[in-house]
Amino acid sequence: MALVTTAEVCDTNPQLIVSGELRALQPIFQVYGRRQIFSGPVVTLKAYEDNVLIREFLEEKGDGRVLVVDGGGSLRCAILGGNPVVRAQNNGWAGIVVNGCIRDVDEINGCDIGVRALASHPMKANRKGVGEKHVPITVGGTRISDGEWLYADTDGILISRTEASV
């Protein structure tokens, strides 16, 4: 599979930008993991300061999908750590985008997976299992629905209603 850059997607699909079918997330995310460029169909999750549902998702086969977690932008604890990211890598997830914090950065940076998050934080999240799966979320100023496509590289993150052509 050829790697597609976000700039290429934007440059070859200006009509999708105008129509709103192709949107860019605000440039608020830090780059983690060894996979700088990744893309795939989106799976959405809303989980505020709780990592149980995140861990459950990443135990599943990823099949090249990207987990997008709306953590409410919390900077009070990490909702994703090294162990689930290793599992995600081994289970075939293309990437994980977290509107919140991560921890175990050195371990995550050793994984062949793309991870984006607001920041790192040493404190771990709650484990109550509270959250919502497969719901529309708003992350980085952009509405994201389950099944849309995400494209990420060092320039930023794009969301497309369908798989974009370049």
Side-chain angles (χ1 to χ4, degrees):
M1 183 174 98
L3 298 176
V4 179
T5 68
T6 56
E8 287 174 311
V9 173
C10 289
D11 293 351
T12 55
N13 295 284
Q15 74 287 358
L16 296 180
I17 296 170
V18 171
S19 72
E21 291 180 53
L22 181 63
R23 292 107 51 212
L25 272 60
Q26 295 165 342
I28 56 176
F29 295 92
Q30 304 298 311
V31 177
Y32 303 98
R34 284 203 334 250
R35 197 177 294 180
Q36 299 286 301
I37 300 174
F38 62 95
S39 62
V42 169
V43 177
T44 59
L45 174 61
K46 188 180 279 196
Y48 184 74
E49 296 184 357
D50 192 310
N51 68 2
V52 172
L53 297 179
I54 298 169
R55 294 173 74 93
E56 285 178 6
F57 258 123
L58 299 176
E59 292 284 346
E60 298 174 11
K61 288 288 176 212
D63 298 319
R65 295 176 296 168
V66 178
L67 180 62
V68 182
V69 182
D70 181 4
S74 173
L75 300 177
R76 300 186 328 165
C77 65
I79 58 174
L80 181 67
N83 289 336
V85 173
V86 168
R87 277 196 283 286
Q89 168 199 264
N90 295 340
N91 286 335
W93 289 84
I96 308 163
V97 176
V98 178
N99 184 27
C101 293
I102 65 169
R103 69 183 202 161
D104 306 323
V105 170
D106 290 341
E107 185 176 5
I108 290 170
N109 283 342
C111 292
D112 183 23
I113 190 170
V115 177
R116 301 293 184 271
L118 299 180
S120 59
H121 197 294
M123 294 175 68
K124 65 182 173 184
N126 298 315
R127 291 194 177 173
K128 297 179 181 167
V130 176
E132 297 175 85
K133 299 178 178 184
H134 308 292
V135 294
I137 56 177
T138 300
V139 172
T142 301
R143 188 88 164 152
I144 305 170
S145 296
D146 218 58
E148 291 191 299
W149 276 74
L150 182 142
Y151 298 86
D153 62 15
T154 52
D155 284 341
I157 302 171
L158 297 173
I159 299 294
S160 178
R161 289 212 181 111
T162 57
E163 187 173 5
S165 56
V166 286

